[in-house]
Amino acid sequence: MNLVRFGLDGLRAMASGGAAYWRWLGALAAVVAAGLFAYAGQLQQGMVVTGMSDQVSWGFYIANFAFLVGIAAAAVLLVIPAYLFHRGDVKQVVIFGEALAVAAVVAAMLFVTVDIGRPERIWHMLPVVGRFNWPLSMLAWDVVVLVGYLLLNLGLPAYVLHARWRGEEPVTARYFPVVIVAIFWAVSIHTVTAFLFSANAGRPLWHSALLAPRFIASAFASGPALIIVALLALRRWGGLAVKQTVIDLLAVVMTVALQISLFFVGVELFTDFYNETTHAASMRYLFFGLAGAGKLQPWIWTALALNVVAVVILSIHPLRRTPRLLVLACGLVFLGIWIEKGMGLVVPGYIPTPLGEIFEYAPTWREWLVSAGIWACGALVFTLLAKAALAIETGRARARPAADLKAS
Amino acid sequence: MSRQPDSDPPDRDGQGFNTFRRRFLAGVATAGGAVVTAHATGAWGGQTLQDAMGSLLQDHYQRMTKDEIHAALERIERNARRRYGVDARCEDLPPLPNTVFGYALNISKCKGYRDCVEACVKENNLGRDSQMQYIRVLQMPDGTMDLEKAEHYYDAKQVPVPGHWYLPVQCMQCDNPPCVKACPTKATWKEPDGIVVVDYDWCIGCRYCMTACPYWARHFNWTEPQIPAAEFNPNLNYLGNRPRPKGVVEKCHFCSQRARKGRQPACQEACPTGARVFGNLLDPKSEIRWVLENKNVFRLKEDLGTEPKFWYFSDDRVSRA
Ligand code: SF4
Ligand code: SF4
């Protein structure tokens, strides 16, 4: 009964808002609808409508997937200071980080779904009913960790919010073990996603022990970038009291992570190019082009430029502390890592093919539209979750005491 | 129907669901199946509702009962008749006892004619529009093994081009296949005779196996495969050359519809130079065993630990005394 009313209160909060709120929801819904339309065409005609081929068999969808898993993992950067170090300022906003993680995982899962040739058979991946190739297949591992992470990030905030809604303080002893699990789990989702790629001995670009650390470093740069922007937006339009100390903390984490991430890129470039072997072919293709083909060069050089400008802004303290410049840096990091980890990693892994063929890939308009729809879907999930959480956090939604109920 | 599975599949997972599935299918079959059959041929991708439901809810091959496999085979035959107007016969050929198939290829005889490729396309009912081919013949400059120097799209009418040698590559039926490890649904596996097969009704089309294969031997149906009715090969094997739907992965299976009947694969028969040797690795008197014991053989990318069951050799002694 209690839980039902809690849920209803949440829904009511999601459905109440000013004109700007509804315009925002409407815009997102329109993009989702466009994505659905594009996806319907893909279902009907087959995946031939994408730019993918036998040569480059994963493209834009999986690129976005890999990036979004990183965003989801980065929520841990709020969870650790809030629950482990009991920083009050972070504790106030940690729930919004978790909402962001939920939205990112949902979007990541959607990206995998649209990348599948026979989505109606996806139940084959379920344990018992289907045949789940666990623990052998890294893709099966990814399903396990992503579903688990989704549940953790729904359960933990739900418990905390429910307590607040009832006007109580959440009991630390009850949720603390879950927090510890969630922290390790966050790292695991991105590590497993890196293993998905590095497990392939036949793809030299990915077959590197550095891939998982690189994934984590870049996630801890791009994740805070998005969290900062989201928190600032919530402060501006949602009336959420975000302390500047939280923003500063995230900005520092982002700075260090970006520095490490760029260092890792340099390490790989050195190893591949100082004594260039055939193993460096994908790298050469990516950065300089190979045998007259080089469609990815503009992508990767843009990514590198964005990241370098961002790291300069972030590393100079007065610049980082200027709000406008910080937001600009966040945008640069977000875009830069999105390219580097997506088009700059997934696609060149397929070029050249294991038989040495160079076959280029570029996403089609349909892939762009489907992807935009999924991103909008993620934004929608975040908006709705944040709206409900906001209502409870600010005390607008509260369980009414029993006496109160009788009186009304 | 040649395979005789145990009366009940050994894997007892998902029993409740299985019961539900069977009841549901029986329900669709009886609930006015005739009416639906008459009207719905256009919808459901040219199948009856009953057949469409049948393949949608079909279990994994290794878990199907005798009856279910039988129903699936009949479904395939019905669809072949409906789509291509061909009376096809689909069997479920079991692996032969005491047999592990292997292949060897004489690179000094191969001249790059690509007759193997064409024979394979016809024998295995490969999509013609998509130009899918299981075998890729690489034209390599003399004196190199660097695959990145290979020419994939040379003109087969001009061969042999002076100063080049030819390297045909197809599925190596790895003994330690990374593609099988990768598959999240166990839709692909290694059979007792060493052939790596795909259950086309179970594959979800995630293409992770293609990413994992170091020999580029797996191919995806990006669109509905088109086969000219006149060229349709009606001798089908369930895990072999039966028509595949769109959105799933397929690959070379050593012509299981032939090999498991004691015949040679289509590529072997088609080769004009006799470069190809196929046979049972467990038979000490087989030609392939003779080649492995008496020739200098090598395998592609052996360092990856995939243990290919496909060897290359040449007539020249590698080390001239
Ligand atoms: S060659 Fe590729 S498809 Fe064939 S068994 Fe080996 S890994 Fe699998
Ligand atoms: S494409 Fe099919 S066979 Fe390949 S890994 Fe995915 S489900 Fe398995």
Side-chain angles (χ1 to χ4, degrees), chain A residues 35-267:
Chain A
L36 277 175
F37 160 77
Y39 183 55
Q42 177 184 315
L43 276 183
Q44 206 174 23
Q45 296 171 49
M47 298 192 71
V48 66
V49 299
T50 70
M52 291 182 269
S53 58
D54 279 357
Q55 285 86 352
V56 182
S57 56
W58 279 351
F60 205 51
Y61 295 152
I62 295 299
N64 276 292
F65 158 79
F67 176 74
L68 274 162
V69 174
I71 297 288
V76 78
L77 296 174
L78 289 180
V79 171
I80 291 177
Y83 295 121
L84 235 47
F85 301 137
H86 303 290
R87 276 197 43 176
D89 52 345
V90 182
K91 224 171 191 165
Q92 272 181 327
V93 298
V94 64
I95 280 186
F96 299 94
E98 286 158 338
L100 205 60
V102 169
V105 174
V106 168
M109 287 172 158
L110 286 175
F111 269 114
V112 176
T113 310
V114 297
D115 191 60
I116 278 176
R118 306 292 303 205
E120 83 277 16
R121 295 181 184 169
I122 211 158
W123 60 273
H124 293 179
M125 255 212 248
L126 299 178
V128 184
V129 183
R131 288 190 88 199
F132 198 46
N133 191 13
W134 192 83
L136 264 191
S137 167
M138 286 327 287
L139 202 52
W141 271 93
D142 225 7
V143 173
V144 171
V145 293
L146 283 180
V147 170
Y149 193 64
L150 186 63
L151 295 179
L152 282 171
N153 276 286
L154 281 172
L156 194 57
Y159 170 72
V160 173
L161 283 177
H162 185 244
R164 298 255 165 81
W165 175 75
R166 291 174 33 155
E168 298 161 4
E169 262 312 296
V171 186
T172 314
R174 284 212 198 131
Y175 66 75
F176 198 72
V178 186
V179 168
I180 299 295
V181 173
I183 289 170
F184 283 102
W185 209 286
V187 178
S188 84
I189 59 168
H190 216 30
T191 307
V192 169
T193 305
F195 286 175
L196 193 69
F197 296 97
S198 65
N200 299 293
R203 308 276 174 186
L205 182 71
W206 302 336
H207 192 55
S208 143
L210 190 59
L211 201 67
R214 254 189 90 183
F215 266 42
I216 301 284
S218 60
F220 284 2
S222 57
L226 186 61
I227 299 176
I228 289 175
V229 173
L231 287 181
L232 290 180
L234 284 172
R235 175 153 82 182
R236 178 128 180 218
W237 290 294
L240 181 71
V242 184
K243 293 238 171 66
Q244 189 56 34
T245 47
V246 179
I247 304 292
D248 292 343
L249 173 73
L250 286 170
V252 169
V253 172
M254 171 167 72
T255 307
V256 176
L258 186 63
Q259 289 163 346
I260 297 178
S261 176
L262 279 170
F263 168 67
F264 283 167
V265 172
V267 168

Side-chain angles (χ1 to χ4, degrees), chain A residues 350-395:
Chain A
Y350 290 100
I351 305 169
T353 69
L355 294 187
E357 188 183 350
I358 295 169
F359 198 92
E360 297 203 89
Y361 163 85
T364 60
W365 66 267
R366 218 182 272 271
E367 282 167 280
W368 279 102
L369 209 53
V370 171
S371 304
I374 294 176
W375 275 97
C377 196
L380 205 57
V381 169
F382 175 71
T383 308
L384 294 176
L385 288 177
K387 191 79 177 25
L390 215 51
I392 293 169
E393 287 279 297
T394 54

Side-chain angles (χ1 to χ4, degrees), chain B residues 179 182-188 198 202-210 218 249:
Chain B
C179 58
C183 178
T185 62
K186 301 191 191 168
T188 180
V198 181
W202 194 258
C203 168
I204 60 172
C206 67
R207 311 187 299 293
Y208 192 28
C209 54
M210 296 171 74
R218 289 182 162 252
V249 157

Side-chain angles (χ1 to χ4, degrees), chain B residues 170-174 177-180 196 209 212-218 251 306:
Chain B
Q170 61 205 76
C171 172
M172 308 273 148
Q173 318 293 351
C174 306
C179 58
V180 167
V196 174
C209 54
C213 170
Y215 303 96
W216 201 70
R218 289 182 162 252
K251 62 184 278 295
T306 51

